[in-house]
Amino acid sequence: MAARYITISDTIINDIDNGLLLIGQRMPSLRQFTRLHDVSMTTANNCYQRLLDLGWLHAKPQIGYFITQPLNKQSTPVYPQFNVKLSKPKVSQSIDQGLRGPFYTAQLPADLLPQATLSRCLRRAIQRAGADLFAYPDYQGDIALRTALANHFSLRHFPLTADNLVITNGCIDAVRSAIEITTNPGDTIAVSSPCFSGLLDLLENMGRLVIEIPCYQAQLDLDQLEERLKAKRISACLFSANHINPQGFCLSNKQKQRIAELAAYYQVPVIEDDIYLELSYSNTTPLPIKYWDKSGWVLWCSSVSKTIAAGYRLGWCEPGRYFNDYLQLRNVQFFGVNNIVQHTVCEFINTGQYAKHLKKLTTTLASHARQYHGLLRELLPDNTKISVAEGGMVIWLQLDNMDSQAVLSEALKQGVSFRAGSEFTTLAYYHNCLRLNIGWPIVANAKDTTNKQAAAQALSAKLVILCELINANVAVK
């Protein structure tokens, strides 16, 4: 017999399908729901959480729960299955800094960041730190910040120890150091396919070779990975497992555990780029590969660049068995991370503002995903495939006859930019794909300022232009 909350949530879904409950309609508060259905608060919470996870509800902080339509999961991108082979990364197309608009880089607008709160944290941090701000930073990172991070993630069921963390200048910096201490120029690193273009650029810059592991149906082809590990063809792996850029999905816990086990069995390091970990639309933080690492072969890297501010350039690494080598490298090359930024982020976490901000931010990003899906589905052909992300801030779009590089060339002439699919591989794939950042809203709220409403309308107009260019490109084919 199904649990009570499942039975009630299934009834609600059936009522929505039959038009008894309408899209956009506000649901009862949790307290009202408990009285209406004569259930406990736990059952009510579980019911609403299930509806949120399935996409039938969305939450507006301090306002309530509203009925929505789940994103179409029947028309999502199809990923190639192929036999892996060695390749050399190529630097992705460079776009003039002035044309790197909202669709191009995966980041948030300043309006979504807690600027006033961070400013207060900065002032308090300066007062508390006193003369320590003028000393050289601890090259492992401020102990108070490392403790705050360890406590923060431990509360999310991912236990960490402050003594094992190393603070870095952002996530890509953490990843670079991990690559440097585990491999040498000319070594081969396994990545997922498609792979974030910034990581491919980094590997090219560092003189490493690449083996792309197919990732389809939200799973890495771990059988092919193991074949290459067994043949000693791979020196290290560089994977993301949560809200992967550009697809947006998470690997299953079973896959994450197996990756950790393969790393230990074949004694090959896995560098985990987990920068989108905390941007889950369901408000449930998934677990990283590192969680299943029992012998230290996983080097876990992350940052606040996607959650607080990219300009802070603050990240971290838990380097496992490579801790001493990692710390030594950081000591020789970097001499620590900006003290003021470390103290500010520490204050932001310890006051509870970071957790509060994340809850609001993930709800907003989930709303953005619905906005973009709605407009793209309306303006593009029926056979367009769009990723249904579990979190993060990017959408991966696929259209069989599209040449995304040709679309980009035309779009740049009109001041619209995005990342073409071919940038996410070293192989001849994804030419009919593109990636869009969804950090900026394209639908304004009634309570938004005039400036915010104008910005959303302008961005929506740019997305319309992009869709027109895609339609024109497909029509030519």
Side-chain angles (χ1 to χ4, degrees):
M1 184 176 180
R4 178 76 167 137
Y5 77 91
I6 294 178
T7 301
I8 297 174
S9 57
D10 283 345
T11 300
I12 291 172
I13 293 170
N14 187 63
D15 287 346
I16 298 171
D17 281 335
N18 291 324
L20 299 176
L21 295 171
L22 303 178
I23 303 300
Q25 182 176 334
R26 185 174 180 172
M27 290 289 286
S29 69
L30 285 170
R31 289 192 180 279
Q32 291 171 329
F33 191 87
T34 60
R35 293 194 293 268
L36 185 64
H37 293 278
D38 192 24
V39 295
S40 67
M41 184 61 75
T42 299
T43 298
N45 270 311
N46 288 339
C47 181
Y48 273 27
Q49 187 60 55
R50 181 168 185 256
L51 291 169
L52 285 166
D53 292 344
L54 294 174
W56 290 101
L57 285 187
H58 73 278
K60 294 183 179 180
Q62 299 179 333
I63 298 177
Y65 296 89
F66 294 80
I67 296 170
T68 189
Q69 185 73 36
L71 299 179
N72 181 5
K73 297 186 178 182
Q74 304 305 313
S75 186
T76 55
V78 177
Y79 300 93
Q81 301 180 38
F82 55 88
N83 293 323
V84 303
K85 62 181 180 180
L86 186 67
S87 56
K88 183 178 180 181
K90 58 183 185 298
V91 176
S92 60
Q93 175 181 342
S94 176
I95 293 182
D96 182 82
Q97 184 71 26
L99 291 179
R100 292 188 178 186
F103 299 142
Y104 181 80
T105 303
Q107 67 178 48
L108 300 167
D111 289 343
L112 293 185
L113 301 175
Q115 300 175 61
T117 305
L118 285 169
S119 294
R120 289 193 293 271
C121 289
L122 170 62
R123 290 193 293 270
R124 288 197 298 269
I126 291 174
Q127 291 172 352
R128 291 180 181 178
D132 287 347
L133 289 179
F134 302 96
Y136 279 108
D138 182 330
Y139 52 82
Q140 185 177 350
D142 181 69
I143 181 59
L145 173 61
R146 289 187 279 118
T147 300
L149 287 168
N151 291 339
H152 172 78
F153 286 106
S154 294
L155 287 173
R156 282 147 185 78
H157 312 292
F158 173 38
L160 287 174
T161 302
D163 289 345
N164 295 338
L165 286 172
V166 180
I167 304 302
T168 64
N169 295 290
C171 187
I172 202 75
D173 177 51
V175 170
R176 172 184 278 277
S177 292
I179 293 171
E180 193 164 349
I181 65 166
T182 57
T183 64
N184 296 304
D187 283 351
T188 299
I189 296 181
V191 300
S192 62
S193 184
C195 175
F196 169 49
S197 55
L199 294 178
L200 296 179
D201 290 347
L202 177 63
L203 293 171
E204 159 68 16
N205 179 266
M206 297 182 72
R208 270 58 171 182
L209 301 177
V210 162
I211 283 183
E212 292 188 37
I213 307 299
C215 190
Y216 48 88
Q217 297 179 334
Q219 295 189 85
L220 271 172
D221 190 335
L222 297 184
D223 291 337
Q224 288 206 66
L225 174 62
E226 184 168 17
E227 287 178 10
R228 296 311 184 275
L229 290 171
K230 188 182 297 184
K232 301 187 183 302
R233 303 271 180 87
I234 294 172
S235 299
C237 302
L238 174 54
F239 294 142
S240 295
N242 296 310
H243 315 129
I244 303 171
N245 181 3
Q247 304 100 307
F249 54 66
C250 299
L251 299 182
S252 67
N253 285 347
K254 183 177 180 181
Q255 280 229 314
K256 295 173 189 175
Q257 182 175 359
R258 188 177 173 205
I259 291 170
E261 290 170 351
L262 288 173
Y265 185 82
Y266 292 101
Q267 299 189 355
V268 171
V270 170
I271 302 163
E272 184 174 11
D273 176 359
D274 211 13
I275 196 169
Y276 294 100
L277 172 72
E278 299 196 88
L279 295 182
S280 172
Y281 299 161
S282 68
N283 283 325
T284 300
T285 304
L287 293 168
I289 298 170
K290 182 68 180 178
Y291 176 81
W292 285 275
D293 177 30
K294 305 304 179 186
S295 49
W297 290 99
V298 178
L299 298 88
W300 180 68
C301 306
S302 192
S303 141
V304 297
S305 294
K306 304 301 183 185
T307 55
I308 300 179
Y312 274 24
R313 308 314 307 138
L314 188 139
W316 53 84
C317 180
E318 208 286 25
R321 63 171 52 235
Y322 296 94
F323 178 84
N324 290 333
D325 290 339
Y326 198 95
L327 193 57
Q328 178 63 25
L329 177 70
R330 302 299 302 180
N331 181 34
V332 171
Q333 290 191 356
F334 299 98
F335 304 105
V337 174
N338 185 294
N339 265 329
I340 297 176
V341 173
Q342 290 193 70
H343 285 286
T344 300
V345 173
C346 179
E347 182 77 11
F348 191 59
I349 295 172
N350 285 338
T351 56
Q353 293 298 321
Y354 186 44
K356 182 179 178 181
H357 165 65
L358 286 174
K359 186 173 183 179
K360 182 177 180 181
L361 176 61
T362 52
T363 300
T364 300
L365 288 175
S367 176
H368 287 188
R370 287 190 293 273
Q371 294 173 15
Y372 280 76
H373 269 259
L375 190 55
L376 292 169
R377 289 288 180 204
E378 177 185 339
L379 298 176
L380 293 175
D382 291 340
N383 62 337
T384 304
K385 299 178 176 64
I386 305 174
S387 63
V388 178
E390 299 173 61
M393 61 180 77
V394 295
I395 278 181
W396 185 247
L397 186 150
Q398 183 183 63
L399 193 53
D400 290 342
N401 296 324
M402 178 178 64
D403 180 345
S404 61
Q405 196 64 57
V407 174
L408 178 60
S409 296
E410 293 300 316
L412 289 174
K413 297 175 184 177
Q414 301 195 45
V416 179
S417 60
F418 59 85
R419 285 197 183 270
S422 56
E423 295 183 43
F424 295 80
T425 182
T426 61
L427 306 172
Y429 295 120
Y430 316 120
H431 293 286
N432 62 339
C433 300
L434 61 85
R435 192 204 74 176
L436 294 174
N437 174 45
I438 62 169
W440 267 257
I442 55 173
V443 176
N445 295 319
K447 295 182 179 180
D448 282 345
T449 63
T450 302
N451 288 340
K452 286 185 179 180
Q453 291 182 4
Q457 291 170 1
L459 193 58
S460 178
K462 285 195 172 188
L463 191 58
V464 170
I465 291 172
L466 176 57
C467 289
E468 290 173 347
L469 293 172
I470 292 173
N471 287 330
N473 178 265
V474 174
V476 170
K477 299 296 181 66

